[in-house]
Amino acid sequence: MHTSDSAIDTHCPYCALQCGMRLRPEPGGATVAVEERTDFPVNRGALCGKGRTAPAVLSSRVRLTQPLVRTHAGQLEPATWEEALDAVAAGLARTGRTHGPDAVGVFGGGGLTNEKAYALGKFARVALRTSQIDYNGRFCMSSAAAAHQRAFGLDRGLPFPLADIPRTGCVILVGSNLAETMPPALRYLTELKAGGGTLIVIDPRRTRTAEQADLHLAPRPGTDLALALGLLHLIVAEGRVDEEFIAARTTGWEETRAAAMAHWPELVERITGIPVPRLREAVALFCAPESAMVLTARGPEQQSKGTDTVGAWINLCLATGRAGRPLSGYGCLTGQGNGQGGREHGQKADQLPGYRKLTDPAARAHVAEVWGVDPDSLPGPGRSAYELLDALGTDVKALLLMGSNPVVSAPRAAHIEDRIRSLDFLAVADVVLSETAALADVVLPVTQWAEETGTTTNLEGRVLLRRRAITPPPGVRSDLDVLHGLAARLGVEKGFPTEPEEVFEELRRASAGGPADYSGITYARIEAEQGVFWPCPQGPEGPEGPGGSEGSPGTERLFLDRFATDDGRARFVPVSHRDAAEVPDADYPLLLTTGRVVAQYQSGAQTRRVDELNAAAPGPFVELHPRLAARIGAVEGSPLAVTSRRGRAVAPARITDTIRVDTVFMPFHWPGKGRANTLTNPALDPTSRMPEFKVCAVRVEPA
């Protein structure tokens, strides 16, 4: 590992906080140390264990350092880069010639930089001419994105900076365990409470985050929609509606009010398990201060009705005038490091750079001009992430996969693993030999966060610059190099530069005038301003920004003057409760919900290679209530079998009274017999196409 002489300011490779950190070479230059970067406003120096230990994955001991190609004997063997790229190009081209361009698929990741996400989307549509591209961010916050678009006309995770949270009067946190998923962000909630604000946490488990709450509501998994409707019913019944705001800045209230009034408190208590007095207490706490926020995460979003569920929480904000005003509003806590930017610039099946719609002729014409192609040559929308994975081996016969590990992370994972194994050809570009990469015909070892420069967009919509701090090991290339080499082999000699800033300059032009307009953002501005919030259009004289006369300062807070709809008004959308796709019955009498633990991240492909993190979280477990444990004869630490209609997982019992009696919880970071996603239900939300990770029917018994 080679390092520079001076410390480099950069950002953590993991979650959407994108915490600032400083990397400094240690004596001898063999390792790099992580230091606090107190000047960065998001984390103010704080880092979780994952961030502190991130350099461990840079070690050649745990990561890929040379291409691998599967031999006729079925083994992955070292190969040269030329051999590997030739094999990938040949496999993709052969499939396209034989079965048509849509038989070739591309699957991306929410951890790719904006430059790589942009180039990957362009590669799919220009070099491969395929419509079949999506990414694992579809599993992250797509329901919130759809609800955002529907209500406000624009989707950005948070429409305000994190710094606003401690200054509001009340926060309702729905389905988020910040203490474990984004530990440095927990200080915003503790500062909220220290300043006199109140915190309501909604989660079927009494998590470390819920323990901070003034009020913790533990609904039955899959009933968040009914809960939001019940609270809105009480707001109407108790005369707490902001009629003036509704009249001035919204449409659709009458239908929404009628839908909410069908969800009376006693009915909601029966559905959710939350007593009526607790519902009334939540309404009183939320409505008492002048300002309030609702923040959601994967809990309400990863449901087959996730878009409507998030929409119901947005309706709650609109009905009380808690949107489009300072220190108020609805926000989504994005999960993956670049889950926000990853979908803004072309990895998603239905979107072009700048958050443009692939079906919009003007959008197609604009992007095609930047790309130097005929708009008619651009394919239409393709399949969503799970539908794309489900089609592997049948309609989609070859796949290029970058920065994702669906063998562990996809719902109904055993089925998806079978689909991946049935492909005619699979190429994977990754940092480590993940469970998915181990199935590939060609594996391409690529650079990671500290070895490359590029931008990411955090959960606030703040575009940030990760800076290269060290030289990657010999034999490792960047994803941009990979796409450049493949495009050339497929006959597209130009248009895929390997320098990140050159790609970003093209991204700026492609996004100009779109909803996610980055045209006024430059690398220099990001460095000078600790990140720039989009939308940030370029001024007539250029992108100078606050220090210049013409450039946009960026948009730190959205919707204060108008919403991003045609008429400037937010849209109420009437919704009604419906059950999860799968409810308990005699054969599967319990509910399973899944999530993360503090010491591991997503599919664990990287964090499971860090000794310190494995010591803290060595493997999967099944969390269950003592009364349930007594009923089935479970003993702490003994193996439990959890079975759903899709498969069986086995992991040690963890008995705790912090979970509902009718619910069990499993973290999803591990492969093998304890793989939680063997069990999960791929039932899709009709709008967002988000799978229902958060609730399915299971039975549990000693293994």
Side-chain angles (χ1 to χ4, degrees):
M1 183 185 299
H2 305 287
T3 59
S4 60
D5 294 330
S6 58
I8 296 291
D9 285 349
T10 189
H11 296 273
C12 178
Y14 292 115
C15 81
L17 281 182
Q18 287 297 281
C19 290
M21 59 168 59
R22 186 163 288 132
L23 298 182
R24 184 178 298 277
E26 294 191 326
T31 57
V32 64
V34 171
E35 298 178 351
E36 290 186 354
R37 186 177 154 198
T38 55
D39 63 323
F40 185 63
V42 172
N43 60 310
R44 290 175 268 163
L47 291 169
C48 73
K50 295 185 291 291
R52 284 189 297 99
T53 61
V57 187
L58 298 168
S59 168
S60 297
R61 182 176 60 85
V62 299
R63 54 93 59 85
L64 294 165
T65 57
Q66 56 187 337
L68 304 172
V69 174
R70 196 168 297 279
T71 66
H72 292 299
Q75 303 300 311
L76 283 172
E77 299 288 351
T80 68
W81 267 99
E82 298 309 304
E83 291 168 340
L85 290 173
D86 286 348
V88 175
L92 300 179
R94 181 173 60 249
T95 302
R97 281 195 310 272
T98 306
H99 302 287
D102 278 356
V104 181
V106 176
F107 199 86
L112 301 182
T113 62
N114 289 318
E115 292 80 0
K116 292 191 283 188
Y118 171 84
L120 187 62
K122 181 181 179 181
F123 177 81
R125 295 176 174 110
V126 173
L128 295 176
R129 300 283 182 98
T130 181
S131 68
Q132 300 302 303
I133 174 171
D134 211 78
Y135 84 130
N136 63 16
R138 180 79 68 169
F139 300 159
C140 174
M141 57 174 288
S142 56
S143 292
H148 245 138
Q149 291 276 14
R150 204 161 68 173
F152 304 135
L154 182 69
D155 159 45
R156 196 180 82 185
L158 294 179
F160 40 72
L162 284 161
D164 282 1
I165 292 174
R167 300 166 57 210
T168 194
C170 178
V171 169
I172 299 181
L173 186 67
V174 190
S176 169
N177 183 12
L178 276 181
E180 301 216 35
T181 59
M182 295 180 174
L186 190 64
R187 66 166 50 172
Y188 291 104
L189 301 182
T190 57
E191 289 169 3
L192 165 77
K193 294 188 64 181
T198 54
L199 174 64
I200 301 169
V201 172
I202 296 168
D203 196 304
R205 305 162 64 221
R206 193 173 75 244
T207 62
R208 289 171 52 200
T209 309
E211 288 173 353
Q212 310 289 319
D214 297 283
L215 176 64
H216 171 216
L217 305 179
R220 186 174 293 113
T223 64
D224 309 85
L225 176 52
L227 174 56
L229 286 161
L231 297 181
L232 184 53
H233 177 111
L234 287 170
I235 284 168
V236 174
E238 296 177 5
R240 299 178 184 270
V241 172
D242 189 335
E243 300 284 1
E244 185 178 340
F245 176 87
I246 289 172
R249 300 200 59 190
T250 73
T251 62
W253 169 236
E254 293 303 322
E255 298 86 349
T256 297
R257 178 174 61 185
M261 297 317 286
H263 298 77
W264 60 95
E266 292 75 16
L267 172 64
V268 171
E269 178 179 322
R270 288 203 300 274
I271 294 171
T272 64
I274 296 174
V276 172
R278 303 296 289 274
L279 300 176
R280 294 188 186 279
E281 184 182 355
V283 166
L285 289 173
F286 184 67
C287 293
E290 287 188 13
S291 59
M293 299 174 178
V294 174
L295 305 176
T296 68
R298 306 301 80 74
E301 297 161 19
Q302 288 180 330
Q303 297 187 31
S304 59
K305 53 182 183 293
T307 302
D308 284 355
T309 301
V310 173
W313 290 105
I314 291 175
N315 288 342
L316 199 72
C317 292
L318 294 175
T320 53
R322 310 302 178 83
R325 286 176 169 170
L327 307 181
S328 286
Y330 163 77
C332 166
L333 300 169
T334 310
Q336 294 190 83
N338 199 32
Q340 182 72 51
R343 70 180 182 282
E344 290 166 9
H345 299 300
Q347 277 191 103
K348 217 172 167 192
D350 55 352
Q351 286 176 193
L352 289 169
Y355 232 137
R356 287 181 157 91
K357 290 179 178 161
L358 193 50
T359 53
D360 176 5
R364 293 169 66 88
H366 174 87
V367 173
E369 183 178 7
V370 173
W371 288 352
V373 299
D374 183 341
D376 291 339
S377 73
L378 297 177
R383 293 174 172 86
S384 72
Y386 181 79
E387 291 165 304
L388 173 56
L389 294 172
D390 189 42
L392 299 181
T394 53
D395 294 335
V396 178
K397 298 181 180 297
L399 183 69
L400 172 64
L401 187 146
M402 283 187 161
S404 187
N405 189 17
V407 166
V408 178
S409 64
R412 198 184 172 198
H415 168 72
I416 295 305
E417 181 176 344
D418 287 344
R419 300 314 323 139
I420 289 171
R421 289 179 181 276
S422 73
L423 282 164
D424 292 348
F425 182 80
L426 172 64
V428 174
D430 210 331
V431 172
V432 297
L433 190 67
S434 70
E435 287 72 22
T436 306
L439 303 180
D441 296 287
V442 181
V443 183
L444 304 172
V446 291
T447 52
Q448 51 182 310
W449 62 292
E451 301 164 347
E452 60 187 14
T453 293
T455 60
T456 61
T457 306
N458 82 344
L459 75 172
E460 307 165 295
R462 187 193 302 253
V463 184
L464 303 167
L465 184 63
R466 288 188 192 160
R467 297 173 63 205
R468 174 170 165 155
I470 58 174
T471 303
V476 172
R477 297 185 183 180
S478 78
D479 296 274
L480 296 180
D481 281 304
V482 168
L483 295 175
H484 173 85
L486 292 178
R489 286 166 171 79
L490 294 169
V492 182
E493 299 286 345
K494 295 181 180 179
F496 291 92
T498 60
E499 285 301 315
E501 192 166 7
E502 187 177 346
V503 178
F504 189 77
E505 289 301 305
E506 184 179 306
L507 182 158
R508 290 176 56 210
R509 298 199 307 276
S511 73
D517 190 335
Y518 281 35
S519 61
I521 304 175
T522 63
Y523 278 21
R525 277 195 64 182
I526 295 170
E527 285 199 82
E529 300 170 33
Q530 297 281 33
V532 181
F533 291 85
W534 73 262
C536 182
Q538 180 168 307
E541 302 303 321
E544 290 89 345
S549 59
E550 300 294 344
S552 164
T555 312
E556 195 171 14
R557 295 172 181 85
L558 297 170
F559 313 138
L560 295 182
D561 300 316
R562 70 189 309 275
F563 294 97
T565 55
D566 291 341
D567 59 6
R569 290 170 172 262
R571 298 189 184 97
F572 280 103
V573 178
V575 294
S576 295
H577 173 70
R578 58 187 187 273
D579 283 334
E582 202 171 74
V583 295
D585 57 20
D587 293 325
Y588 302 96
L590 299 168
L591 292 167
L592 168 71
T593 193
T594 64
R596 285 170 46 190
V597 297
V598 67
Q600 300 287 355
Y601 182 71
Q602 305 299 70
S603 76
Q606 295 182 47
T607 52
R608 285 187 276 110
R609 287 165 168 80
V610 180
D611 293 341
E612 181 180 329
L613 299 179
N614 284 333
F621 56 86
V622 181
E623 189 176 281
L624 72 166
H625 193 277
R627 277 159 49 195
L628 174 59
R631 195 162 77 223
I632 66 171
V635 177
E636 177 73 23
S638 64
L640 285 182
V642 184
T643 307
S644 77
R645 288 177 174 84
R646 288 153 296 281
R648 180 177 186 261
V650 178
R654 183 174 292 184
I655 301 171
T656 174
D657 64 1
T658 60
I659 190 168
R660 290 177 56 97
V661 179
D662 59 3
T663 301
V664 295
F665 167 83
M666 290 185 71
F668 60 79
H669 310 291
W670 288 274
K673 66 179 184 179
R675 181 175 59 186
N677 277 320
T678 297
L679 308 167
T680 48
N681 191 352
L684 300 180
D685 179 286
T687 304
S688 69
R689 317 308 288 169
M690 168 83 89
E692 191 153 57
F693 287 98
K694 285 301 181 192
V695 52
C696 69
V698 296
R699 66 173 178 267
V700 182
E701 57 216 341

